[in-house]
Protein backbone atom coordinates (compact mmCIF):
# COMPACT_ATOMS: atom_id res chain seq x y z
CA UNK A 1 0.00 0.00 0.00
CA UNK A 2 1.43 3.39 -0.96
CA UNK A 3 0.03 6.75 0.07
CA UNK A 4 0.60 9.95 -1.86
CA UNK A 5 -0.20 13.44 -0.64
CA UNK A 6 -3.22 15.20 -2.14
CA UNK A 7 -5.17 18.38 -1.47
CA UNK A 8 -2.10 20.17 -0.06
CA UNK A 9 -1.64 17.51 2.63
CA UNK A 10 -5.26 17.37 3.74
CA UNK A 11 -5.83 14.08 1.95
CA UNK A 12 -4.04 11.20 0.30
CA UNK A 13 -4.32 8.97 -2.72
CA UNK A 14 -4.14 5.24 -2.06
CA UNK A 15 -2.28 2.82 -4.33
CA UNK A 16 -2.24 -0.96 -4.07
CA UNK A 17 0.48 -2.86 -5.92
CA UNK A 18 1.28 0.31 -7.84
CA UNK A 19 -2.28 0.91 -9.08
CA UNK A 20 -4.66 3.61 -7.84
CA UNK A 21 -7.33 2.16 -5.59
CA UNK A 22 -10.76 2.45 -7.18
CA UNK A 23 -12.83 4.82 -5.05
CA UNK A 24 -9.77 5.92 -3.14
CA UNK A 25 -11.11 5.84 0.42
CA UNK A 26 -10.09 3.73 3.38
CA UNK A 27 -13.54 2.08 3.26
CA UNK A 28 -12.72 1.11 -0.34
CA UNK A 29 -9.37 -0.24 0.86
CA UNK A 30 -11.16 -2.32 3.49
CA UNK A 31 -13.52 -3.76 0.87
CA UNK A 32 -10.58 -4.51 -1.46
CA UNK A 33 -8.51 -6.22 1.23
CA UNK A 34 -11.47 -8.17 2.60
CA UNK A 35 -12.22 -9.36 -0.93
CA UNK A 36 -8.61 -10.48 -1.41
CA UNK A 37 -8.72 -12.35 1.88
CA UNK A 38 -11.95 -14.11 0.89
CA UNK A 39 -10.29 -15.12 -2.40
CA UNK A 40 -7.55 -16.88 -0.45
CA UNK A 41 -4.89 -14.27 0.30
CA UNK A 42 -2.64 -15.51 3.10
CA UNK A 43 -3.24 -13.18 6.05
CA UNK A 44 0.27 -13.93 7.34
CA UNK A 45 1.91 -12.44 4.23
CA UNK A 46 3.33 -8.97 4.85
CA UNK A 47 1.23 -5.91 4.09
CA UNK A 48 3.74 -3.08 3.68
CA UNK A 49 2.56 0.52 3.96
CA UNK A 50 4.67 3.34 2.63
CA UNK A 51 4.14 7.00 1.94
CA UNK A 52 5.69 9.95 0.24
CA UNK A 53 6.69 13.10 2.14
CA UNK A 54 3.76 15.31 3.01
CA UNK A 55 1.34 12.50 3.89
CA UNK A 56 -0.03 13.07 7.37
CA UNK A 57 0.72 10.37 9.95
CA UNK A 58 -3.01 9.85 10.56
CA UNK A 59 -3.37 8.45 7.02
CA UNK A 60 -0.63 5.87 7.62
CA UNK A 61 -2.35 4.86 10.85
CA UNK A 62 -5.68 4.62 8.99
CA UNK A 63 -4.06 2.32 6.40
CA UNK A 64 -2.62 0.15 9.17
CA UNK A 65 -5.95 0.00 11.01
CA UNK A 66 -7.70 -0.90 7.75
CA UNK A 67 -5.33 -3.80 7.03
CA UNK A 68 -5.80 -5.14 10.56
CA UNK A 69 -9.60 -4.79 10.32
CA UNK A 70 -9.46 -6.74 7.04
CA UNK A 71 -7.83 -9.60 8.96
CA UNK A 72 -4.19 -9.27 7.94
CA UNK A 73 -1.73 -10.09 10.71
CA UNK A 74 1.67 -8.97 9.39
CA UNK A 75 1.29 -5.23 8.79
CA UNK A 76 4.51 -3.24 8.44
CA UNK A 77 5.64 0.26 7.56
CA UNK A 78 8.13 0.68 4.73
CA UNK A 79 11.38 2.34 5.69
CA UNK A 80 11.33 4.35 2.47
CA UNK A 81 9.73 4.39 -0.95
CA UNK A 82 12.99 5.97 -2.08
CA UNK A 83 13.43 6.58 -5.78
CA UNK A 84 11.36 3.60 -6.83
CA UNK A 85 8.57 4.00 -9.33
CA UNK A 86 6.04 2.41 -7.00
CA UNK A 87 3.06 3.25 -9.22
CA UNK A 88 4.10 0.73 -11.87
CA UNK A 89 3.88 3.10 -14.81
Amino acid sequence: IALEESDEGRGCRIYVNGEPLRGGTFDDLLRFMTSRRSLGADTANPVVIGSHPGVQWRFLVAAMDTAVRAGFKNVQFAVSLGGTDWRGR
Side-chain angles (χ1 to χ4, degrees):
I1 299 169
L3 306 177
E4 180 180 53
E5 177 188 359
S6 67
D7 197 23
E8 298 180 1
R10 292 184 294 272
C12 71
R13 285 183 280 284
I14 304 169
Y15 294 81
V16 177
N17 296 327
E19 298 293 326
L21 179 68
R22 185 178 305 167
T25 69
F26 289 105
D27 286 336
D28 295 318
L29 181 61
L30 178 61
R31 280 189 285 278
F32 176 84
M33 295 184 82
T34 301
S35 168
R36 291 295 182 237
R37 192 189 75 224
S38 69
L39 292 171
D42 185 349
T43 59
N45 282 343
V47 174
V48 181
I49 302 165
S51 74
H52 279 259
V55 173
Q56 293 184 24
W57 180 247
R58 66 187 174 109
F59 295 125
L60 280 101
V61 172
M64 178 192 66
D65 289 344
T66 299
V68 171
R69 285 178 51 209
F72 290 85
K73 299 176 178 94
N74 186 1
V75 182
Q76 307 171 17
F77 291 108
V79 174
S80 170
L81 289 176
T84 61
D85 189 359
W86 53 271
R87 287 183 267 186
R89 294 182 203 176

